[in-house]
Amino acid sequence: MIKEIIMKELNNIDEDISIVIKDLTKNQWILKYNERDVFPSASLIKVPIMVEMFYAIQNGEYKLEEKINIQENSRVPYSIISELKLSEYPLIDLITLMIILSDNTATNVLIDLLGYDRINESIKRLDCNDTVLRRKMMDFQGAREGRENMTSPMDMAIIMEKIYRKSIVDIESCNIMMDILTRQKYRDMLPRYILDEVTIAHKTGELSGLNHDIGIFQLENIHYLIGIFTRNGKDDLEGKRSIGRISKLVYNYLLDN
């Protein structure tokens, strides 16, 4: 059984770890391990921000191709938008860059458009009580003051499955969100040791001492959701390797069974 294989692997892992795995084809949980542990969300908070923006688009408040002005004071480091210096971007490009490159400027612009209260109310409507947006990206002062963005593996699993099942926003929006998630450029965690061509709709998050990845693998015989969150390891690279090893074990087992 895959559950026993994973639990044995955990004996070789130094990090604190939480795992959720669900067979979406059969709608059955395979494993929930520390699934309600609450972590700093890192960039995973960008998924519910994306969802709320699509609610706003569905309500006619914005259009996907609408040009959004980028104020100079919105630009932060580690952002292609900050590097390119263009004054405006289509909204769909901001959403896409926020997810596939985890662009922090794009994220902060979307937070300004929507507002903290609205995003957090949307999260609560999804019954995700462990998740909260308290600060913008790169606001390290806010983090030091205790205003950290938080989430849990189960909360993120709820959101990802709703996107997959097209039960959140409208069907077209869910299709667009799934497509964006499959174009993720950071592939050093869940897909790390998987050499096959496989469609994975996922989002990563990382801070010093903390690594997360959650996504949906779409194999020919099974679609499954897997989220692995780690913290307090020896170093960040080892955390990513741990996620990659467990992901490969799950992939090989479900591929063959």
PDB file of all heavy atoms in Angstrom, residues 172-209:
ATOM      1  N   GLU A 172     -15.502  28.135 -17.613  1.00  0.00           N
ATOM      2  CA  GLU A 172     -14.460  28.720 -18.452  1.00  0.00           C
ATOM      3  C   GLU A 172     -13.302  29.243 -17.601  1.00  0.00           C
ATOM      4  O   GLU A 172     -12.128  29.035 -17.932  1.00  0.00           O
ATOM      5  CB  GLU A 172     -15.022  29.861 -19.301  1.00  0.00           C
ATOM      6  CG  GLU A 172     -13.987  30.500 -20.214  1.00  0.00           C
ATOM      7  CD  GLU A 172     -14.545  31.650 -21.033  1.00  0.00           C
ATOM      8  OE1 GLU A 172     -15.741  31.957 -20.889  1.00  0.00           O
ATOM      9  OE2 GLU A 172     -13.785  32.238 -21.818  1.00  0.00           O
ATOM     10  N   SER A 173     -13.628  29.903 -16.486  1.00  0.00           N
ATOM     11  CA  SER A 173     -12.584  30.421 -15.607  1.00  0.00           C
ATOM     12  C   SER A 173     -11.760  29.284 -15.013  1.00  0.00           C
ATOM     13  O   SER A 173     -10.531  29.390 -14.906  1.00  0.00           O
ATOM     14  CB  SER A 173     -13.197  31.260 -14.489  1.00  0.00           C
ATOM     15  OG  SER A 173     -13.815  32.422 -15.006  1.00  0.00           O
ATOM     16  N   CYS A 174     -12.415  28.210 -14.624  1.00  0.00           N
ATOM     17  CA  CYS A 174     -11.684  27.066 -14.078  1.00  0.00           C
ATOM     18  C   CYS A 174     -10.757  26.450 -15.120  1.00  0.00           C
ATOM     19  O   CYS A 174      -9.631  26.048 -14.806  1.00  0.00           O
ATOM     20  CB  CYS A 174     -12.655  26.016 -13.555  1.00  0.00           C
ATOM     21  SG  CYS A 174     -13.502  26.506 -12.033  1.00  0.00           S
ATOM     22  N   ASN A 175     -11.223  26.376 -16.358  1.00  0.00           N
ATOM     23  CA  ASN A 175     -10.370  25.868 -17.429  1.00  0.00           C
ATOM     24  C   ASN A 175      -9.133  26.743 -17.610  1.00  0.00           C
ATOM     25  O   ASN A 175      -8.021  26.231 -17.808  1.00  0.00           O
ATOM     26  CB  ASN A 175     -11.151  25.794 -18.744  1.00  0.00           C
ATOM     27  CG  ASN A 175     -12.157  24.663 -18.765  1.00  0.00           C
ATOM     28  OD1 ASN A 175     -12.002  23.662 -18.052  1.00  0.00           O
ATOM     29  ND2 ASN A 175     -13.196  24.795 -19.574  1.00  0.00           N
ATOM     30  N   ILE A 176      -9.323  28.050 -17.538  1.00  0.00           N
ATOM     31  CA  ILE A 176      -8.185  28.965 -17.676  1.00  0.00           C
ATOM     32  C   ILE A 176      -7.226  28.805 -16.506  1.00  0.00           C
ATOM     33  O   ILE A 176      -6.001  28.754 -16.677  1.00  0.00           O
ATOM     34  CB  ILE A 176      -8.674  30.426 -17.780  1.00  0.00           C
ATOM     35  CG1 ILE A 176      -9.469  30.631 -19.069  1.00  0.00           C
ATOM     36  CG2 ILE A 176      -7.480  31.390 -17.749  1.00  0.00           C
ATOM     37  CD1 ILE A 176     -10.167  31.976 -19.148  1.00  0.00           C
ATOM     38  N   MET A 177      -7.768  28.700 -15.286  1.00  0.00           N
ATOM     39  CA  MET A 177      -6.908  28.541 -14.111  1.00  0.00           C
ATOM     40  C   MET A 177      -6.129  27.234 -14.177  1.00  0.00           C
ATOM     41  O   MET A 177      -4.927  27.206 -13.850  1.00  0.00           O
ATOM     42  CB  MET A 177      -7.741  28.615 -12.829  1.00  0.00           C
ATOM     43  CG  MET A 177      -8.200  30.021 -12.492  1.00  0.00           C
ATOM     44  SD  MET A 177      -8.929  30.184 -10.829  1.00  0.00           S
ATOM     45  CE  MET A 177     -10.554  29.478 -11.099  1.00  0.00           C
ATOM     46  N   MET A 178      -6.779  26.148 -14.591  1.00  0.00           N
ATOM     47  CA  MET A 178      -6.066  24.874 -14.721  1.00  0.00           C
ATOM     48  C   MET A 178      -4.957  24.984 -15.760  1.00  0.00           C
ATOM     49  O   MET A 178      -3.845  24.480 -15.550  1.00  0.00           O
ATOM     50  CB  MET A 178      -7.039  23.759 -15.104  1.00  0.00           C
ATOM     51  CG  MET A 178      -7.856  23.222 -13.944  1.00  0.00           C
ATOM     52  SD  MET A 178      -6.867  22.341 -12.701  1.00  0.00           S
ATOM     53  CE  MET A 178      -6.381  20.871 -13.625  1.00  0.00           C
ATOM     54  N   ASP A 179      -5.237  25.649 -16.855  1.00  0.00           N
ATOM     55  CA  ASP A 179      -4.216  25.816 -17.890  1.00  0.00           C
ATOM     56  C   ASP A 179      -3.028  26.608 -17.359  1.00  0.00           C
ATOM     57  O   ASP A 179      -1.869  26.243 -17.609  1.00  0.00           O
ATOM     58  CB  ASP A 179      -4.823  26.530 -19.103  1.00  0.00           C
ATOM     59  CG  ASP A 179      -3.779  26.814 -20.167  1.00  0.00           C
ATOM     60  OD1 ASP A 179      -3.260  25.861 -20.763  1.00  0.00           O
ATOM     61  OD2 ASP A 179      -3.454  28.010 -20.387  1.00  0.00           O
ATOM     62  N   ILE A 180      -3.295  27.673 -16.628  1.00  0.00           N
ATOM     63  CA  ILE A 180      -2.206  28.474 -16.058  1.00  0.00           C
ATOM     64  C   ILE A 180      -1.375  27.617 -15.103  1.00  0.00           C
ATOM     65  O   ILE A 180      -0.136  27.632 -15.138  1.00  0.00           O
ATOM     66  CB  ILE A 180      -2.763  29.713 -15.337  1.00  0.00           C
ATOM     67  CG1 ILE A 180      -3.364  30.694 -16.353  1.00  0.00           C
ATOM     68  CG2 ILE A 180      -1.670  30.409 -14.519  1.00  0.00           C
ATOM     69  CD1 ILE A 180      -4.118  31.849 -15.720  1.00  0.00           C
ATOM     70  N   LEU A 181      -2.027  26.856 -14.235  1.00  0.00           N
ATOM     71  CA  LEU A 181      -1.322  26.033 -13.253  1.00  0.00           C
ATOM     72  C   LEU A 181      -0.459  24.961 -13.915  1.00  0.00           C
ATOM     73  O   LEU A 181       0.592  24.583 -13.380  1.00  0.00           O
ATOM     74  CB  LEU A 181      -2.322  25.381 -12.293  1.00  0.00           C
ATOM     75  CG  LEU A 181      -2.985  26.329 -11.285  1.00  0.00           C
ATOM     76  CD1 LEU A 181      -4.255  25.704 -10.716  1.00  0.00           C
ATOM     77  CD2 LEU A 181      -2.017  26.702 -10.166  1.00  0.00           C
ATOM     78  N   THR A 182      -0.860  24.490 -15.088  1.00  0.00           N
ATOM     79  CA  THR A 182      -0.045  23.481 -15.786  1.00  0.00           C
ATOM     80  C   THR A 182       1.201  24.086 -16.418  1.00  0.00           C
ATOM     81  O   THR A 182       2.099  23.346 -16.824  1.00  0.00           O
ATOM     82  CB  THR A 182      -0.845  22.768 -16.896  1.00  0.00           C
ATOM     83  OG1 THR A 182      -1.251  23.711 -17.887  1.00  0.00           O
ATOM     84  CG2 THR A 182      -2.058  22.057 -16.337  1.00  0.00           C
ATOM     85  N   ARG A 183       1.272  25.414 -16.480  1.00  0.00           N
ATOM     86  CA  ARG A 183       2.424  26.083 -17.095  1.00  0.00           C
ATOM     87  C   ARG A 183       3.454  26.541 -16.059  1.00  0.00           C
ATOM     88  O   ARG A 183       4.351  27.316 -16.356  1.00  0.00           O
ATOM     89  CB  ARG A 183       1.930  27.261 -17.931  1.00  0.00           C
ATOM     90  CG  ARG A 183       1.145  26.800 -19.164  1.00  0.00           C
ATOM     91  CD  ARG A 183       0.106  27.790 -19.618  1.00  0.00           C
ATOM     92  NE  ARG A 183       0.681  29.061 -19.988  1.00  0.00           N
ATOM     93  CZ  ARG A 183      -0.035  30.160 -20.230  1.00  0.00           C
ATOM     94  NH1 ARG A 183      -1.348  30.118 -20.113  1.00  0.00           N
ATOM     95  NH2 ARG A 183       0.557  31.272 -20.567  1.00  0.00           N
ATOM     96  N   GLN A 184       3.335  26.023 -14.850  1.00  0.00           N
ATOM     97  CA  GLN A 184       4.261  26.345 -13.774  1.00  0.00           C
ATOM     98  C   GLN A 184       5.717  26.117 -14.199  1.00  0.00           C
ATOM     99  O   GLN A 184       6.059  25.072 -14.747  1.00  0.00           O
ATOM    100  CB  GLN A 184       3.932  25.473 -12.559  1.00  0.00           C
ATOM    101  CG  GLN A 184       4.877  25.587 -11.393  1.00  0.00           C
ATOM    102  CD  GLN A 184       4.871  26.992 -10.818  1.00  0.00           C
ATOM    103  OE1 GLN A 184       5.886  27.671 -10.842  1.00  0.00           O
ATOM    104  NE2 GLN A 184       3.713  27.432 -10.340  1.00  0.00           N
ATOM    105  N   LYS A 185       6.566  27.108 -13.956  1.00  0.00           N
ATOM    106  CA  LYS A 185       7.962  27.031 -14.368  1.00  0.00           C
ATOM    107  C   LYS A 185       8.883  26.487 -13.277  1.00  0.00           C
ATOM    108  O   LYS A 185       9.993  26.042 -13.576  1.00  0.00           O
ATOM    109  CB  LYS A 185       8.459  28.407 -14.815  1.00  0.00           C
ATOM    110  CG  LYS A 185       7.672  29.013 -15.973  1.00  0.00           C
ATOM    111  CD  LYS A 185       7.613  28.080 -17.161  1.00  0.00           C
ATOM    112  CE  LYS A 185       6.803  28.689 -18.308  1.00  0.00           C
ATOM    113  NZ  LYS A 185       6.621  27.735 -19.422  1.00  0.00           N
ATOM    114  N   TYR A 186       8.440  26.528 -12.015  1.00  0.00           N
ATOM    115  CA  TYR A 186       9.267  25.998 -10.936  1.00  0.00           C
ATOM    116  C   TYR A 186       8.931  24.523 -10.740  1.00  0.00           C
ATOM    117  O   TYR A 186       7.863  24.171 -10.241  1.00  0.00           O
ATOM    118  CB  TYR A 186       9.040  26.793  -9.648  1.00  0.00           C
ATOM    119  CG  TYR A 186       9.481  28.231  -9.771  1.00  0.00           C
ATOM    120  CD1 TYR A 186       8.561  29.272  -9.794  1.00  0.00           C
ATOM    121  CD2 TYR A 186      10.837  28.543  -9.885  1.00  0.00           C
ATOM    122  CE1 TYR A 186       8.977  30.598  -9.931  1.00  0.00           C
ATOM    123  CE2 TYR A 186      11.265  29.864 -10.017  1.00  0.00           C
ATOM    124  CZ  TYR A 186      10.326  30.876 -10.036  1.00  0.00           C
ATOM    125  OH  TYR A 186      10.741  32.173 -10.177  1.00  0.00           O
ATOM    126  N   ARG A 187       9.846  23.673 -11.135  1.00  0.00           N
ATOM    127  CA  ARG A 187       9.588  22.232 -11.180  1.00  0.00           C
ATOM    128  C   ARG A 187      10.623  21.447 -10.367  1.00  0.00           C
ATOM    129  O   ARG A 187      10.989  20.330 -10.718  1.00  0.00           O
ATOM    130  CB  ARG A 187       9.563  21.756 -12.638  1.00  0.00           C
ATOM    131  CG  ARG A 187       8.470  22.438 -13.464  1.00  0.00           C
ATOM    132  CD  ARG A 187       8.502  21.980 -14.913  1.00  0.00           C
ATOM    133  NE  ARG A 187       8.321  20.556 -15.059  1.00  0.00           N
ATOM    134  CZ  ARG A 187       7.139  19.947 -15.085  1.00  0.00           C
ATOM    135  NH1 ARG A 187       6.013  20.666 -14.957  1.00  0.00           N
ATOM    136  NH2 ARG A 187       7.063  18.647 -15.213  1.00  0.00           N
ATOM    137  N   ASP A 188      11.080  22.047  -9.275  1.00  0.00           N
ATOM    138  CA  ASP A 188      12.131  21.405  -8.479  1.00  0.00           C
ATOM    139  C   ASP A 188      11.605  20.745  -7.213  1.00  0.00           C
ATOM    140  O   ASP A 188      12.389  20.370  -6.337  1.00  0.00           O
ATOM    141  CB  ASP A 188      13.235  22.408  -8.120  1.00  0.00           C
ATOM    142  CG  ASP A 188      12.710  23.651  -7.402  1.00  0.00           C
ATOM    143  OD1 ASP A 188      11.480  23.813  -7.320  1.00  0.00           O
ATOM    144  OD2 ASP A 188      13.546  24.464  -6.964  1.00  0.00           O
ATOM    145  N   MET A 189      10.283  20.555  -7.130  1.00  0.00           N
ATOM    146  CA  MET A 189       9.727  19.861  -5.966  1.00  0.00           C
ATOM    147  C   MET A 189       8.905  18.658  -6.418  1.00  0.00           C
ATOM    148  O   MET A 189       9.461  17.591  -6.641  1.00  0.00           O
ATOM    149  CB  MET A 189       8.942  20.848  -5.092  1.00  0.00           C
ATOM    150  CG  MET A 189       9.884  21.827  -4.371  1.00  0.00           C
ATOM    151  SD  MET A 189       9.100  22.820  -3.084  1.00  0.00           S
ATOM    152  CE  MET A 189       9.029  24.410  -3.882  1.00  0.00           C
ATOM    153  N   LEU A 190       7.591  18.759  -6.561  1.00  0.00           N
ATOM    154  CA  LEU A 190       6.789  17.593  -6.951  1.00  0.00           C
ATOM    155  C   LEU A 190       7.291  16.903  -8.228  1.00  0.00           C
ATOM    156  O   LEU A 190       7.364  15.672  -8.281  1.00  0.00           O
ATOM    157  CB  LEU A 190       5.319  17.987  -7.113  1.00  0.00           C
ATOM    158  CG  LEU A 190       4.516  18.263  -5.836  1.00  0.00           C
ATOM    159  CD1 LEU A 190       3.100  18.703  -6.192  1.00  0.00           C
ATOM    160  CD2 LEU A 190       4.488  17.064  -4.899  1.00  0.00           C
ATOM    161  N   PRO A 191       7.637  17.645  -9.293  1.00  0.00           N
ATOM    162  CA  PRO A 191       8.096  16.970 -10.520  1.00  0.00           C
ATOM    163  C   PRO A 191       9.600  16.659 -10.527  1.00  0.00           C
ATOM    164  O   PRO A 191      10.110  16.200 -11.551  1.00  0.00           O
ATOM    165  CB  PRO A 191       7.770  17.993 -11.621  1.00  0.00           C
ATOM    166  CG  PRO A 191       7.064  19.133 -10.960  1.00  0.00           C
ATOM    167  CD  PRO A 191       7.426  19.074  -9.514  1.00  0.00           C
ATOM    168  N   ARG A 192      10.299  16.897  -9.424  1.00  0.00           N
ATOM    169  CA  ARG A 192      11.763  16.906  -9.408  1.00  0.00           C
ATOM    170  C   ARG A 192      12.388  15.646 -10.024  1.00  0.00           C
ATOM    171  O   ARG A 192      13.314  15.728 -10.828  1.00  0.00           O
ATOM    172  CB  ARG A 192      12.260  17.082  -7.971  1.00  0.00           C
ATOM    173  CG  ARG A 192      13.773  17.260  -7.869  1.00  0.00           C
ATOM    174  CD  ARG A 192      14.236  17.433  -6.437  1.00  0.00           C
ATOM    175  NE  ARG A 192      15.628  17.822  -6.389  1.00  0.00           N
ATOM    176  CZ  ARG A 192      16.062  19.082  -6.353  1.00  0.00           C
ATOM    177  NH1 ARG A 192      15.202  20.066  -6.328  1.00  0.00           N
ATOM    178  NH2 ARG A 192      17.353  19.355  -6.349  1.00  0.00           N
ATOM    179  N   TYR A 193      11.885  14.480  -9.650  1.00  0.00           N
ATOM    180  CA  TYR A 193      12.487  13.222 -10.088  1.00  0.00           C
ATOM    181  C   TYR A 193      11.620  12.480 -11.100  1.00  0.00           C
ATOM    182  O   TYR A 193      11.839  11.292 -11.347  1.00  0.00           O
ATOM    183  CB  TYR A 193      12.761  12.332  -8.879  1.00  0.00           C
ATOM    184  CG  TYR A 193      13.708  12.951  -7.874  1.00  0.00           C
ATOM    185  CD1 TYR A 193      13.284  13.218  -6.563  1.00  0.00           C
ATOM    186  CD2 TYR A 193      15.015  13.282  -8.222  1.00  0.00           C
ATOM    187  CE1 TYR A 193      14.147  13.787  -5.639  1.00  0.00           C
ATOM    188  CE2 TYR A 193      15.882  13.865  -7.304  1.00  0.00           C
ATOM    189  CZ  TYR A 193      15.440  14.108  -6.014  1.00  0.00           C
ATOM    190  OH  TYR A 193      16.299  14.680  -5.101  1.00  0.00           O
ATOM    191  N   ILE A 194      10.648  13.157 -11.658  1.00  0.00           N
ATOM    192  CA  ILE A 194       9.751  12.524 -12.628  1.00  0.00           C
ATOM    193  C   ILE A 194      10.182  12.938 -14.031  1.00  0.00           C
ATOM    194  O   ILE A 194      10.075  14.105 -14.420  1.00  0.00           O
ATOM    195  CB  ILE A 194       8.292  12.906 -12.350  1.00  0.00           C
ATOM    196  CG1 ILE A 194       7.880  12.360 -10.978  1.00  0.00           C
ATOM    197  CG2 ILE A 194       7.363  12.375 -13.449  1.00  0.00           C
ATOM    198  CD1 ILE A 194       6.527  12.795 -10.505  1.00  0.00           C
ATOM    199  N   LEU A 195      10.687  11.978 -14.785  1.00  0.00           N
ATOM    200  CA  LEU A 195      11.236  12.258 -16.105  1.00  0.00           C
ATOM    201  C   LEU A 195      10.206  12.113 -17.213  1.00  0.00           C
ATOM    202  O   LEU A 195      10.419  12.603 -18.322  1.00  0.00           O
ATOM    203  CB  LEU A 195      12.423  11.326 -16.377  1.00  0.00           C
ATOM    204  CG  LEU A 195      13.563  11.401 -15.355  1.00  0.00           C
ATOM    205  CD1 LEU A 195      14.690  10.438 -15.748  1.00  0.00           C
ATOM    206  CD2 LEU A 195      14.096  12.823 -15.218  1.00  0.00           C
ATOM    207  N   ASP A 196       9.095  11.433 -16.930  1.00  0.00           N
ATOM    208  CA  ASP A 196       8.053  11.243 -17.940  1.00  0.00           C
ATOM    209  C   ASP A 196       7.371  12.568 -18.262  1.00  0.00           C
ATOM    210  O   ASP A 196       7.344  13.494 -17.442  1.00  0.00           O
ATOM    211  CB  ASP A 196       6.991  10.256 -17.443  1.00  0.00           C
ATOM    212  CG  ASP A 196       7.576   8.906 -17.102  1.00  0.00           C
ATOM    213  OD1 ASP A 196       8.648   8.578 -17.635  1.00  0.00           O
ATOM    214  OD2 ASP A 196       6.955   8.180 -16.304  1.00  0.00           O
ATOM    215  N   GLU A 197       6.797  12.624 -19.450  1.00  0.00           N
ATOM    216  CA  GLU A 197       5.954  13.760 -19.817  1.00  0.00           C
ATOM    217  C   GLU A 197       4.582  13.562 -19.177  1.00  0.00           C
ATOM    218  O   GLU A 197       3.846  12.654 -19.548  1.00  0.00           O
ATOM    219  CB  GLU A 197       5.819  13.862 -21.331  1.00  0.00           C
ATOM    220  CG  GLU A 197       7.070  14.356 -22.042  1.00  0.00           C
ATOM    221  CD  GLU A 197       7.366  15.820 -21.753  1.00  0.00           C
ATOM    222  OE1 GLU A 197       6.398  16.574 -21.523  1.00  0.00           O
ATOM    223  OE2 GLU A 197       8.554  16.196 -21.754  1.00  0.00           O
ATOM    224  N   VAL A 198       4.261  14.374 -18.192  1.00  0.00           N
ATOM    225  CA  VAL A 198       2.979  14.240 -17.503  1.00  0.00           C
ATOM    226  C   VAL A 198       2.448  15.634 -17.194  1.00  0.00           C
ATOM    227  O   VAL A 198       3.215  16.544 -16.866  1.00  0.00           O
ATOM    228  CB  VAL A 198       3.130  13.415 -16.202  1.00  0.00           C
ATOM    229  CG1 VAL A 198       4.170  14.007 -15.286  1.00  0.00           C
ATOM    230  CG2 VAL A 198       1.799  13.263 -15.483  1.00  0.00           C
ATOM    231  N   THR A 199       1.158  15.806 -17.343  1.00  0.00           N
ATOM    232  CA  THR A 199       0.537  17.108 -17.079  1.00  0.00           C
ATOM    233  C   THR A 199       0.349  17.271 -15.571  1.00  0.00           C
ATOM    234  O   THR A 199      -0.289  16.450 -14.926  1.00  0.00           O
ATOM    235  CB  THR A 199      -0.828  17.214 -17.779  1.00  0.00           C
ATOM    236  OG1 THR A 199      -0.636  17.065 -19.188  1.00  0.00           O
ATOM    237  CG2 THR A 199      -1.470  18.570 -17.496  1.00  0.00           C
ATOM    238  N   ILE A 200       0.925  18.355 -15.043  1.00  0.00           N
ATOM    239  CA  ILE A 200       0.820  18.657 -13.615  1.00  0.00           C
ATOM    240  C   ILE A 200       0.364  20.109 -13.470  1.00  0.00           C
ATOM    241  O   ILE A 200       1.026  21.019 -13.958  1.00  0.00           O
ATOM    242  CB  ILE A 200       2.165  18.486 -12.891  1.00  0.00           C
ATOM    243  CG1 ILE A 200       2.810  17.142 -13.223  1.00  0.00           C
ATOM    244  CG2 ILE A 200       1.975  18.649 -11.392  1.00  0.00           C
ATOM    245  CD1 ILE A 200       4.222  17.005 -12.698  1.00  0.00           C
ATOM    246  N   ALA A 201      -0.763  20.306 -12.821  1.00  0.00           N
ATOM    247  CA  ALA A 201      -1.257  21.654 -12.513  1.00  0.00           C
ATOM    248  C   ALA A 201      -0.903  21.931 -11.060  1.00  0.00           C
ATOM    249  O   ALA A 201      -1.515  21.365 -10.159  1.00  0.00           O
ATOM    250  CB  ALA A 201      -2.767  21.730 -12.722  1.00  0.00           C
ATOM    251  N   HIS A 202       0.112  22.790 -10.839  1.00  0.00           N
ATOM    252  CA  HIS A 202       0.581  22.927  -9.459  1.00  0.00           C
ATOM    253  C   HIS A 202       1.109  24.323  -9.171  1.00  0.00           C
ATOM    254  O   HIS A 202       1.332  25.143 -10.057  1.00  0.00           O
ATOM    255  CB  HIS A 202       1.653  21.873  -9.154  1.00  0.00           C
ATOM    256  CG  HIS A 202       2.949  22.053  -9.888  1.00  0.00           C
ATOM    257  ND1 HIS A 202       4.152  22.242  -9.261  1.00  0.00           N
ATOM    258  CD2 HIS A 202       3.226  22.051 -11.214  1.00  0.00           C
ATOM    259  CE1 HIS A 202       5.117  22.336 -10.150  1.00  0.00           C
ATOM    260  NE2 HIS A 202       4.587  22.228 -11.337  1.00  0.00           N
ATOM    261  N   LYS A 203       1.279  24.583  -7.873  1.00  0.00           N
ATOM    262  CA  LYS A 203       1.843  25.851  -7.402  1.00  0.00           C
ATOM    263  C   LYS A 203       2.810  25.565  -6.267  1.00  0.00           C
ATOM    264  O   LYS A 203       2.498  24.796  -5.355  1.00  0.00           O
ATOM    265  CB  LYS A 203       0.742  26.797  -6.914  1.00  0.00           C
ATOM    266  CG  LYS A 203       1.275  28.164  -6.460  1.00  0.00           C
ATOM    267  CD  LYS A 203       1.733  28.997  -7.637  1.00  0.00           C
ATOM    268  CE  LYS A 203       2.462  30.279  -7.204  1.00  0.00           C
ATOM    269  NZ  LYS A 203       3.888  30.017  -6.850  1.00  0.00           N
ATOM    270  N   THR A 204       3.952  26.197  -6.351  1.00  0.00           N
ATOM    271  CA  THR A 204       4.983  26.059  -5.325  1.00  0.00           C
ATOM    272  C   THR A 204       4.974  27.263  -4.398  1.00  0.00           C
ATOM    273  O   THR A 204       4.432  28.317  -4.710  1.00  0.00           O
ATOM    274  CB  THR A 204       6.369  25.956  -5.963  1.00  0.00           C
ATOM    275  OG1 THR A 204       6.637  27.175  -6.685  1.00  0.00           O
ATOM    276  CG2 THR A 204       6.452  24.787  -6.931  1.00  0.00           C
ATOM    277  N   GLY A 205       5.612  27.070  -3.241  1.00  0.00           N
ATOM    278  CA  GLY A 205       5.835  28.176  -2.322  1.00  0.00           C
ATOM    279  C   GLY A 205       7.073  27.878  -1.510  1.00  0.00           C
ATOM    280  O   GLY A 205       7.277  26.742  -1.085  1.00  0.00           O
ATOM    281  N   GLU A 206       7.904  28.881  -1.316  1.00  0.00           N
ATOM    282  CA  GLU A 206       9.095  28.633  -0.511  1.00  0.00           C
ATOM    283  C   GLU A 206       9.552  29.909   0.186  1.00  0.00           C
ATOM    284  O   GLU A 206       9.436  31.017  -0.336  1.00  0.00           O
ATOM    285  CB  GLU A 206      10.231  28.071  -1.358  1.00  0.00           C
ATOM    286  CG  GLU A 206      10.632  28.921  -2.550  1.00  0.00           C
ATOM    287  CD  GLU A 206      11.714  28.238  -3.383  1.00  0.00           C
ATOM    288  OE1 GLU A 206      12.876  28.194  -2.917  1.00  0.00           O
ATOM    289  OE2 GLU A 206      11.381  27.748  -4.477  1.00  0.00           O
ATOM    290  N   LEU A 207      10.015  29.729   1.413  1.00  0.00           N
ATOM    291  CA  LEU A 207      10.687  30.747   2.198  1.00  0.00           C
ATOM    292  C   LEU A 207      11.883  30.067   2.846  1.00  0.00           C
ATOM    293  O   LEU A 207      12.038  28.841   2.747  1.00  0.00           O
ATOM    294  CB  LEU A 207       9.754  31.324   3.269  1.00  0.00           C
ATOM    295  CG  LEU A 207       8.536  32.126   2.800  1.00  0.00           C
ATOM    296  CD1 LEU A 207       7.589  32.376   3.969  1.00  0.00           C
ATOM    297  CD2 LEU A 207       8.968  33.442   2.148  1.00  0.00           C
ATOM    298  N   SER A 208      12.703  30.799   3.517  1.00  0.00           N
ATOM    299  CA  SER A 208      13.848  30.191   4.184  1.00  0.00           C
ATOM    300  C   SER A 208      13.373  29.141   5.193  1.00  0.00           C
ATOM    301  O   SER A 208      12.567  29.422   6.070  1.00  0.00           O
ATOM    302  CB  SER A 208      14.665  31.266   4.900  1.00  0.00           C
ATOM    303  OG  SER A 208      15.755  30.683   5.586  1.00  0.00           O
ATOM    304  N   GLY A 209      13.838  27.905   5.009  1.00  0.00           N
ATOM    305  CA  GLY A 209      13.460  26.829   5.910  1.00  0.00           C
ATOM    306  C   GLY A 209      12.099  26.235   5.661  1.00  0.00           C
ATOM    307  O   GLY A 209      11.614  25.437   6.467  1.00  0.00           O
TER     308      GLY A 209
END
